[in-house]
Amino acid sequence: MDLIIVDNYEELSQRAADIIASCVEADPACTLGLATGTSPIGLYAKLVEKCQAGEISFKDVTTFNLDEYRGLNPEHNQSYRYFMNHHLFDKVDINKEATHVPDGADPDAEHACAIYEQLIERNGGIDLQLLGLGHNGHIGFNEPQDDFPAKTHLVQLTQRTIEANSRLFDSIDDVPREAYTMGIGTIMAARSILLVATGSSKAQIVHDVMYGLVTPQVPASILKFHPNVTIIVDKEAGALCQQ
Ligand code: GLP
């Protein structure tokens, strides 16, 4: 895994956006795996700038998001579909039909997850998967557990994740308790992976992912087994690591 420690969020956003833009430049019809959370907001803004300046085009790009809350409609302002429209899709020249987020409004978990996994497979997989990092090491919504789930599946969110994500809702009671997420196998099948993490509250988990054992109790630790992973952190999140 390549670890890049940068000075601040601005630099992190620029470096990450440059990596994604290079992928799109190299193959204008590439497939991007995308992530939500606060960490990627800055890099999406940089990609919007590049697109609006005519430096890159998303016209032929296909995207698959990692996850979605179960029970939220796409119009709900806390749904991950809404987030993606707001931060990226509505502001660039992407064909919305080629953007995919698990269907949180489908109550049939087996159906929603199987369809999503099939779509990714039929599309030929993901070229570059962007990831954030939960404080407990979760990627997508793959929470710490006894094994590494292979495919897109239904998850029960942990209390820690519900609390962390409640900052974005009116009240903690509004945070959905379940989500659909790509599996660890789905993520590991991506041809390259870019993980971003910021802030001192992520320092310990970034350290554990980099130097700890590979264990499903720290889901992101499995990235050590992937041949092409870049991790970009700001100096607060990288405080316990050496470069
Ligand atoms: C959520 C998302 C994850 C994201 C994580 C970290 O739980 N499902 O994909 O990585 O939050 O978010 P943040 O970047 O806001 O710390």
Side-chain angles (χ1 to χ4, degrees):
M1 297 194 293
D2 262 351
L3 176 68
I4 302 173
I5 303 177
V6 297
D7 276 346
N8 52 43
Y9 185 64
E10 167 72 19
E11 206 185 320
L12 175 145
S13 302
Q14 191 63 61
R15 295 282 286 265
D18 288 346
I19 291 174
I20 295 173
S22 301
C23 179
V24 175
E25 271 159 7
D27 177 5
C30 68
T31 299
L32 300 176
L34 298 177
T36 55
T38 43
S39 310
I41 289 177
L43 75 89
Y44 289 145
K46 301 276 181 203
L47 288 174
V48 169
E49 275 171 30
K50 281 177 188 286
C51 185
Q52 292 181 353
E55 290 168 29
I56 51 167
S57 169
F58 290 89
K59 188 167 65 65
D60 297 319
V61 169
T62 299
T63 68
F64 287 94
N65 262 77
L66 283 166
D67 48 12
E68 179 60 283
Y69 289 115
R70 185 186 193 204
L72 295 194
N73 289 314
E75 296 76 31
H76 191 289
N77 67 4
Q78 289 306 327
S79 76
Y80 287 167
R81 162 55 77 179
Y82 183 97
F83 175 103
M84 290 310 303
N85 287 347
H86 178 70
H87 290 288
L88 186 68
F89 301 151
D90 285 344
K91 298 176 174 162
V92 295
D93 59 349
I94 201 160
N95 168 14
K96 275 270 188 79
E97 309 248 301
T99 68
H100 307 279
V101 180
D103 184 2
D106 183 348
D108 182 344
E110 239 171 78
H111 178 257
C113 296
I115 292 255
Y116 202 65
E117 195 71 29
Q118 276 165 25
L119 261 179
I120 296 172
E121 260 173 47
R122 250 189 265 143
N123 181 71
I126 291 168
D127 293 305
L128 172 60
Q129 176 66 56
L130 174 65
L131 299 174
L133 182 65
H135 292 100
N136 57 10
H138 77 226
I139 45 179
F141 266 135
N142 290 280
E143 298 280 34
Q145 57 194 299
D146 293 338
D147 56 10
F148 290 111
K151 300 201 163 170
T152 304
H153 60 289
L154 171 68
V155 283
Q156 312 295 323
L157 302 182
T158 62
Q159 191 55 28
R160 195 164 178 201
T161 299
I162 292 166
E163 280 162 19
N165 291 3
S166 67
R167 71 193 192 282
L168 305 167
F169 288 79
D170 291 339
S171 109
I172 193 162
D173 296 334
D174 295 339
V175 184
R177 269 39 185 175
E178 295 177 325
Y180 299 139
T181 182
M182 283 185 194
I184 294 290
T186 327
I187 294 169
M188 289 292 282
R191 288 177 272 283
S192 59
I193 293 178
L194 171 62
L195 183 146
V196 291
T198 65
S200 54
S201 70
K202 298 275 172 78
Q204 186 62 51
I205 194 64
V206 169
H207 169 274
D208 295 351
V209 169
M210 285 300 300
Y211 308 114
L213 292 176
V214 174
T215 162
Q217 294 302 329
V218 181
S221 64
I222 200 166
L223 297 176
K224 287 198 188 75
F225 290 154
H226 193 287
N228 190 355
V229 177
T230 303
I231 298 183
I232 310 182
V233 297
D234 61 7
K235 59 177 187 298
E236 287 78 18
L240 304 177
C241 302
Q242 308 97 31
Q243 204 164 11

